[in-house]
Amino acid sequence: MSALKRGLIVSCQAVKGEPLYGYGIMHLFAKAAKAGGAQGIRALYEDVDSIKEEVNLPVIGLVKECYDDSEIYITPTKAEVDKLLGTKCDVICMDATLRSRPGGISLKELYEYARSNAGGREIMADVSTIEEAINADELGFDYISTTMRGYTPYTKQYSIPDVDFVAECKAKVKNAKVIAEGGVFEVSHMEAISKVNPYAVVVGSAITRPSVITERLLGALKLED
């Protein structure tokens, strides 16, 4: 049985430099998300346990850590996997792009390490291309999310949400459940993605980043003296 149910997953994250970082309130965002009907939460490892105590929802855990020798920062090495193993997360999430990883570790090696130590947890791949999605599927990931589309150097030309990419993943991924993530801000985006019928949809900034929401709405405000 899958840890994640079909529906909306809300990403409740605040990273360094953001107004809400360091206040330990992501569990309250998760509580509000559940009240609105969310079926799951995506969160940084340091917030996983407080969220699990607050809401009875599956949590996708990840670690954001930057290294000098790699562009990958979402659960990039075994050290970050170990941090997630020390939490109550239901799903371990990692960058599954085909870029070089810190210390030269391969994605296959990291995946196998996570799988052998997961203790029943499922594993999610964040990808940006169909080649990466197929590779992650062949490795055995339980979920493949389109999170990195538009955020890798070779996919910056694509606007998000890239509904066509979600559709292509669904068509070519044989075993993993495909999750749409990235750039979902409008009801129209959700309606378009619904037609593709992914397993679930992750929304973050449009729900849990007030400063981003404020800036976006302010950009559309045109007042005249």
Side-chain angles (χ1 to χ4, degrees), residues 102-118:
I105 187 173
S106 68
L107 175 61
K108 183 176 186 292
E109 183 181 355
L110 187 64
Y111 165 78
E112 291 177 347
Y113 178 79
R115 181 64 80 187
S116 63
N117 291 283

mmCIF file of all heavy atoms in Angstrom, residues 102-118:
data_model
loop_
_atom_site.group_PDB
_atom_site.id
_atom_site.type_symbol
_atom_site.label_atom_id
_atom_site.label_comp_id
_atom_site.label_asym_id
_atom_site.label_seq_id
_atom_site.Cartn_x
_atom_site.Cartn_y
_atom_site.Cartn_z
ATOM 1 N N PRO A 102 27.655 15.334 -5.011
ATOM 2 C CA PRO A 102 28.794 15.622 -4.130
ATOM 3 C C PRO A 102 29.622 14.368 -3.841
ATOM 4 O O PRO A 102 29.068 13.295 -3.589
ATOM 5 C CB PRO A 102 28.122 16.132 -2.853
ATOM 6 C CG PRO A 102 26.812 16.680 -3.305
ATOM 7 C CD PRO A 102 26.380 15.772 -4.411
ATOM 8 N N GLY A 103 30.928 14.518 -3.916
ATOM 9 C CA GLY A 103 31.811 13.406 -3.606
ATOM 10 C C GLY A 103 31.843 12.318 -4.659
ATOM 11 O O GLY A 103 32.495 11.288 -4.484
ATOM 12 N N GLY A 104 31.124 12.533 -5.773
ATOM 13 C CA GLY A 104 31.148 11.557 -6.849
ATOM 14 C C GLY A 104 30.233 10.361 -6.650
ATOM 15 O O GLY A 104 30.251 9.422 -7.457
ATOM 16 N N ILE A 105 29.394 10.362 -5.612
ATOM 17 C CA ILE A 105 28.472 9.252 -5.395
ATOM 18 C C ILE A 105 27.447 9.219 -6.521
ATOM 19 O O ILE A 105 27.000 10.256 -7.008
ATOM 20 C CB ILE A 105 27.765 9.377 -4.021
ATOM 21 C CG1 ILE A 105 26.936 8.113 -3.733
ATOM 22 C CG2 ILE A 105 26.903 10.622 -3.960
ATOM 23 C CD1 ILE A 105 26.344 8.088 -2.336
ATOM 24 N N SER A 106 27.121 8.027 -6.977
ATOM 25 C CA SER A 106 26.143 7.905 -8.062
ATOM 26 C C SER A 106 24.731 7.888 -7.491
ATOM 27 O O SER A 106 24.519 7.563 -6.316
ATOM 28 C CB SER A 106 26.380 6.618 -8.851
ATOM 29 O OG SER A 106 26.076 5.478 -8.049
ATOM 30 N N LEU A 107 23.761 8.240 -8.328
ATOM 31 C CA LEU A 107 22.369 8.175 -7.900
ATOM 32 C C LEU A 107 21.992 6.751 -7.533
ATOM 33 O O LEU A 107 21.287 6.514 -6.547
ATOM 34 C CB LEU A 107 21.452 8.696 -9.013
ATOM 35 C CG LEU A 107 19.948 8.579 -8.744
ATOM 36 C CD1 LEU A 107 19.553 9.374 -7.514
ATOM 37 C CD2 LEU A 107 19.154 9.025 -9.967
ATOM 38 N N LYS A 108 22.466 5.786 -8.317
ATOM 39 C CA LYS A 108 22.174 4.375 -8.040
ATOM 40 C C LYS A 108 22.667 3.973 -6.657
ATOM 41 O O LYS A 108 21.950 3.314 -5.887
ATOM 42 C CB LYS A 108 22.824 3.497 -9.106
ATOM 43 C CG LYS A 108 22.532 1.997 -8.965
ATOM 44 C CD LYS A 108 23.148 1.231 -10.125
ATOM 45 C CE LYS A 108 22.746 -0.244 -10.092
ATOM 46 N NZ LYS A 108 23.359 -0.947 -8.927
ATOM 47 N N GLU A 109 23.872 4.387 -6.325
ATOM 48 C CA GLU A 109 24.439 4.045 -5.014
ATOM 49 C C GLU A 109 23.637 4.685 -3.893
ATOM 50 O O GLU A 109 23.356 4.056 -2.869
ATOM 51 C CB GLU A 109 25.898 4.494 -4.948
ATOM 52 C CG GLU A 109 26.598 4.128 -3.648
ATOM 53 C CD GLU A 109 28.039 4.598 -3.607
ATOM 54 O OE1 GLU A 109 28.530 5.126 -4.630
ATOM 55 O OE2 GLU A 109 28.678 4.457 -2.535
ATOM 56 N N LEU A 110 23.253 5.947 -4.076
ATOM 57 C CA LEU A 110 22.492 6.638 -3.041
ATOM 58 C C LEU A 110 21.100 6.025 -2.890
ATOM 59 O O LEU A 110 20.609 5.834 -1.773
ATOM 60 C CB LEU A 110 22.376 8.124 -3.367
ATOM 61 C CG LEU A 110 21.742 8.983 -2.277
ATOM 62 C CD1 LEU A 110 22.605 8.972 -1.020
ATOM 63 C CD2 LEU A 110 21.534 10.412 -2.762
ATOM 64 N N TYR A 111 20.469 5.717 -4.020
ATOM 65 C CA TYR A 111 19.155 5.092 -3.975
ATOM 66 C C TYR A 111 19.225 3.749 -3.239
ATOM 67 O O TYR A 111 18.384 3.456 -2.371
ATOM 68 C CB TYR A 111 18.602 4.877 -5.390
ATOM 69 C CG TYR A 111 17.437 3.932 -5.412
ATOM 70 C CD1 TYR A 111 16.161 4.356 -5.034
ATOM 71 C CD2 TYR A 111 17.608 2.587 -5.766
ATOM 72 C CE1 TYR A 111 15.093 3.473 -5.010
ATOM 73 C CE2 TYR A 111 16.554 1.703 -5.742
ATOM 74 C CZ TYR A 111 15.298 2.148 -5.365
ATOM 75 O OH TYR A 111 14.245 1.263 -5.328
ATOM 76 N N GLU A 112 20.187 2.932 -3.587
ATOM 77 C CA GLU A 112 20.310 1.613 -2.960
ATOM 78 C C GLU A 112 20.599 1.733 -1.465
ATOM 79 O O GLU A 112 20.098 0.931 -0.659
ATOM 80 C CB GLU A 112 21.393 0.793 -3.665
ATOM 81 C CG GLU A 112 20.986 0.379 -5.073
ATOM 82 C CD GLU A 112 22.071 -0.370 -5.812
ATOM 83 O OE1 GLU A 112 23.236 -0.358 -5.327
ATOM 84 O OE2 GLU A 112 21.767 -0.955 -6.873
ATOM 85 N N TYR A 113 21.385 2.730 -1.085
ATOM 86 C CA TYR A 113 21.651 2.960 0.340
ATOM 87 C C TYR A 113 20.362 3.332 1.066
ATOM 88 O O TYR A 113 20.052 2.802 2.141
ATOM 89 C CB TYR A 113 22.685 4.072 0.504
ATOM 90 C CG TYR A 113 22.974 4.415 1.949
ATOM 91 C CD1 TYR A 113 23.822 3.618 2.712
ATOM 92 C CD2 TYR A 113 22.395 5.530 2.555
ATOM 93 C CE1 TYR A 113 24.084 3.913 4.045
ATOM 94 C CE2 TYR A 113 22.648 5.837 3.879
ATOM 95 C CZ TYR A 113 23.488 5.022 4.628
ATOM 96 O OH TYR A 113 23.733 5.316 5.945
ATOM 97 N N ALA A 114 19.595 4.244 0.458
ATOM 98 C CA ALA A 114 18.330 4.659 1.072
ATOM 99 C C ALA A 114 17.363 3.492 1.147
ATOM 100 O O ALA A 114 16.714 3.269 2.185
ATOM 101 C CB ALA A 114 17.715 5.804 0.277
ATOM 102 N N ARG A 115 17.259 2.723 0.082
ATOM 103 C CA ARG A 115 16.320 1.599 0.053
ATOM 104 C C ARG A 115 16.674 0.540 1.091
ATOM 105 O O ARG A 115 15.792 0.016 1.782
ATOM 106 C CB ARG A 115 16.307 0.980 -1.347
ATOM 107 C CG ARG A 115 15.344 -0.183 -1.513
ATOM 108 C CD ARG A 115 13.896 0.272 -1.339
ATOM 109 N NE ARG A 115 13.388 0.889 -2.549
ATOM 110 C CZ ARG A 115 12.202 1.493 -2.616
ATOM 111 N NH1 ARG A 115 11.422 1.554 -1.549
ATOM 112 N NH2 ARG A 115 11.784 2.059 -3.728
ATOM 113 N N SER A 116 17.947 0.246 1.221
ATOM 114 C CA SER A 116 18.349 -0.814 2.146
ATOM 115 C C SER A 116 18.196 -0.398 3.605
ATOM 116 O O SER A 116 18.128 -1.253 4.490
ATOM 117 C CB SER A 116 19.811 -1.216 1.875
ATOM 118 O OG SER A 116 20.692 -0.126 2.107
ATOM 119 N N ASN A 117 18.132 0.889 3.853
ATOM 120 C CA ASN A 117 18.006 1.379 5.224
ATOM 121 C C ASN A 117 16.650 2.025 5.522
ATOM 122 O O ASN A 117 16.428 2.491 6.649
ATOM 123 C CB ASN A 117 19.107 2.393 5.521
ATOM 124 C CG ASN A 117 20.484 1.762 5.578
ATOM 125 O OD1 ASN A 117 20.856 1.124 6.565
ATOM 126 N ND2 ASN A 117 21.244 1.919 4.505
ATOM 127 N N ALA A 118 15.766 2.035 4.555
ATOM 128 C CA ALA A 118 14.525 2.800 4.674
ATOM 129 C C ALA A 118 13.558 2.263 5.717
ATOM 130 O O ALA A 118 12.710 3.008 6.224
ATOM 131 C CB ALA A 118 13.824 2.860 3.312
#
